[in-house]
Amino acid sequence: MEVFRIIHSKWADKLVASGYQGRWNSNGFYVIYSAENCSLACLENLVHRNGFGLNGDFSLITISIPDSIKKNEIEIKNLPIGWNGNDEKSQLLCQKVGDDWLRNQQSAVLIVPSAIIANEKNILINPNHRDFDKIKLKSVQSFSFDRRLG
């Protein structure tokens, strides 16, 4: 499985997580966010940056996840109504799911629906899982957001 991530180029040479909260993790829980395709990775950045800072120095990284690694998946039907909202309550619902996954070390990979396009998937990677060392940074290439997006 190959997944994609768009990040500032200064962080593109290795797979690292900041520990800052996101939809699927609370502060202090380390997760590497990626997407099943480049276009979703771009859209996720656009939404979370609110169009600000898109002219920076970015890279598109391709991550290779072996098929042999266990992957858990959260399906929309198993999430509460409102999980994909843009409010604190919605975020707390998802953070509980992600934090529990991280705490229990269930797998190195968690596949979740995108809150932006529910039929597409984001791929969460647990850098503290015993199988993380099998996940590899496959390639890094320069990335520029189209100016019409900003």
Side-chain angles (χ1 to χ4, degrees), residues 2 4 6 15 29 47 52 61 75 80 126 137-138 143:
E2 286 187 351
F4 305 90
I6 297 171
L15 295 176
F29 286 84
V47 166
F52 179 75
I61 64 173
E75 296 182 17
N126 178 354
L137 178 60
K138 182 177 179 182
F143 183 87

Side-chain angles (χ1 to χ4, degrees), residues 5-16 18 20 33 41 45 48-49 52-61 137 140-145:
R5 178 172 166 87
I6 297 171
I7 58 173
H8 284 284
S9 294
K10 66 182 176 181
W11 307 113
D13 61 337
K14 56 185 168 271
L15 295 176
V16 295
S18 69
Y20 294 126
Y33 282 78
N45 265 272
H48 295 291
R49 294 180 189 284
F52 179 75
L54 296 178
N55 60 350
D57 184 20
F58 291 94
S59 292
L60 170 67
I61 64 173
L137 178 60
V140 178
Q141 62 189 70
S142 180
F143 183 87
S144 297
F145 291 94

Side-chain angles (χ1 to χ4, degrees), residues 130-146:
R130 67 182 173 277
D131 287 336
F132 177 69
D133 63 341
K134 298 173 185 171
I135 298 171
K136 303 296 180 195
L137 178 60
K138 182 177 179 182
S139 67
V140 178
Q141 62 189 70
S142 180
F143 183 87
S144 297
F145 291 94
D146 188 297

